[in-house]
Amino acid sequence: MMNCSKYKRVPVLHYPEREWPDKEIQHAPIWVSVDLRDGNQALVEPMVVEEKIELFNMLVKMGFKEIEVGFPAASQIEYDFLRQLVDRKMIPDDVTVQVLTQCRDQLIKRTFEAIQGIPKAIVHIYNSTSTLQREVVFHASKEEVKQIALDGVDMVKKYMSDYDGKVILEYSPESFTGTEMDYAVEVCDAVVERWGATPDNKVIINLPATVEMTTPNVYADQIEWCGKHFKNRESIILSIHPHNDRGTATAATELAMLAGAERVEGTLLGNGERTGNVDILNLAYNMFSQGIDPQLEISDIKHIVEVCERVTKMPTDPRKPYAGKLVFTAFSGSHQDAISKGVAALKQRTDGIWEVPYLPIDPSDIGRKYEPVVRINSQSGKGGVAFVMDTYYGFRLPKGMHKEFADIIQSIAERQGEVAPPQIMEEFKKNYIDRKEPMHFRKCQITDREYEGGGFATAATLTFTDHGVERVVEGTGNGPIDAVQRALEKALHINIRVLDYSEHALTTGSEAQAASYIHLLNQDTGEATYGVGISSNITRASFRGIFSAVNRLFYRDEQ
């Protein structure tokens, strides 16, 4: 057994007054991309300057108004990248760049050198405040750790005197989730007071889940508790920076927003230290699925993923929410059937509301296509195969035919694995449309006959080849299909009955073709099967469907 006794539970904030469970997300927060800093520092192969510029440009096009561009005092490449943005005038007027620095004089001085020429910048200072780090890393008291933060504020103020732009201060008590809440508030209040924040000159207080330590509801409690206990809340922009150590960063962020967080720092696709930062795309698409404008241009997920994968050299998991290649794919037969019916029902609606089982959003809204929605393997069912035939090729198979054709495809899938749509169509042609031998329909002349007493009947003069030999036979019935059926019964000495018949147009316009489906019964054995015919003439398509069914029913061994 694993030794779980070596771990202790993280203390939970006692906060029965919480109000966030009764709230709903109403609008998007201030989004802050930290891909170029937090995301970049976590890469095996960090981005070079031109890769950073490509990602920065995409973030701007996506609509991010605050972008953390790096830690310019940490390395030359970080510094050079920021200077490239400045010198090449790549920072739009409505975008504020953010730079990170520790509370050290030389680092803050270098940071201000890097941002010269930028009209407005967020200077983000931080120091760790958790009990564990105070004890094992800094060996410092609470007062000493708080003083580090205040010294950082003073240094920022000192170097602001030679800066020709506006500075917005951001402060993070790093390792916030492992910090006593009253102490975290004490430090943040001291920073806000030292900065001289006002409602017109707010400070950003960023409460990070530097390490995700417990369940998302606890983080929400911490955010709401702090928000209600800050002395000067109206002068604070309350920000969060969640990590994903427990795999619940998205939930923690959404609950923290309910608890009062106004600003979210994260990365595209969740790249970041250890298990990553919160995935901003995941959050934004979640809002979108609830009818909330995420205030980001995220309609082409494929392009976003391609850029991220190229500059980070990291693949995207195929099951990654919204972004993965398989997230709009159904292999399960019951899921496929429900999706197929849901899409069909959607076409009949006029309210414009998207409601399809298993698809929380319309894939086409984010640049995906319907094609990947249903993929066929041995676990797929009749609904999935029918969906592919309809969606890809326009064949609306009658319900009774779904299982018959799906069984054919499933036997192939059991041998080879996934069956692609082109192969499904190929099998459909081989098994139905091209079943023209040994009985091959050539032509049929239809006439109406009138009997004494005013009765009418349909006469068919049928021409076909029987094992290559041309034959001409006649039959009479109550309509063209019945007449051809009776002609074949007489010519081939078989006993058949048409159980069902349906047809529809395949295309529109003067070259439109029709598809006809004939469900045919061998009355001697009780066996039944479908035949399919296509033609620009619907009656001819029906005759071809009858011959297809006859060949499948009586001459299977000859094909």
Side-chain angles (χ1 to χ4, degrees), residues 445-475:
Q445 183 178 357
I446 298 295
T447 58
D448 286 333
R449 291 180 178 174
E450 184 175 2
Y451 294 99
E452 291 184 10
F456 286 88
T458 300
T461 302
L462 179 64
T463 302
F464 68 101
T465 56
D466 179 347
H467 294 81
V469 178
E470 184 173 294
R471 299 180 62 180
V472 179
V473 296
E474 292 187 349

Side-chain angles (χ1 to χ4, degrees), residues 185-348:
V185 167
E186 178 185 334
V187 175
C188 291
D189 278 343
V191 166
V192 171
E193 183 177 355
R194 183 66 63 93
W195 181 253
T198 67
D200 295 325
N201 182 31
K202 295 185 179 184
V203 65
I204 299 169
I205 294 297
N206 187 56
L207 303 179
T210 311
V211 177
E212 190 176 35
M213 302 176 70
T214 186
T215 52
N217 61 298
V218 175
Y219 188 50
D221 281 352
Q222 293 172 327
I223 298 301
E224 183 175 299
W225 192 93
C226 289
K228 289 191 173 184
H229 286 80
F230 288 138
K231 290 180 180 177
N232 196 4
R233 177 65 179 88
E234 67 278 5
S235 300
I236 292 172
I237 297 172
L238 184 52
S239 176
I240 57 173
H241 181 114
H243 278 255
N244 195 40
D245 299 87
R246 291 169 56 90
T248 58
T250 296
T253 301
E254 291 178 333
L255 298 189
M257 288 169 61
L258 298 178
E262 305 159 90
R263 183 177 183 270
V264 174
E265 296 187 348
T267 60
L268 304 180
L269 304 174
N271 176 42
E273 293 281 15
R274 305 179 308 280
T275 56
N277 291 55
V278 69
D279 181 350
I280 286 181
L281 290 173
N282 195 163
L283 292 166
Y285 287 128
N286 283 355
M287 290 183 190
F288 179 72
S289 74
Q290 300 298 303
I292 300 170
D293 184 353
Q295 298 292 309
L296 290 174
E297 175 47 60
I298 51 175
S299 61
D300 190 352
I301 186 63
K302 183 179 179 182
H303 174 69
I304 296 171
V305 169
E306 285 174 350
V307 172
C308 289
E309 289 185 337
R310 182 167 60 255
V311 300
T312 64
K313 292 86 175 174
M314 293 178 64
T316 301
D317 191 291
R319 301 292 183 188
K320 183 78 174 174
Y322 303 102
K325 292 181 179 179
L326 295 179
V327 298
F328 294 113
T329 300
F331 288 104
S332 161
S334 61
H335 290 204
Q336 292 173 348
D337 182 60
I339 289 172
S340 177
K341 291 173 180 174
V343 171
L346 195 68
K347 293 176 181 178
Q348 307 301 316

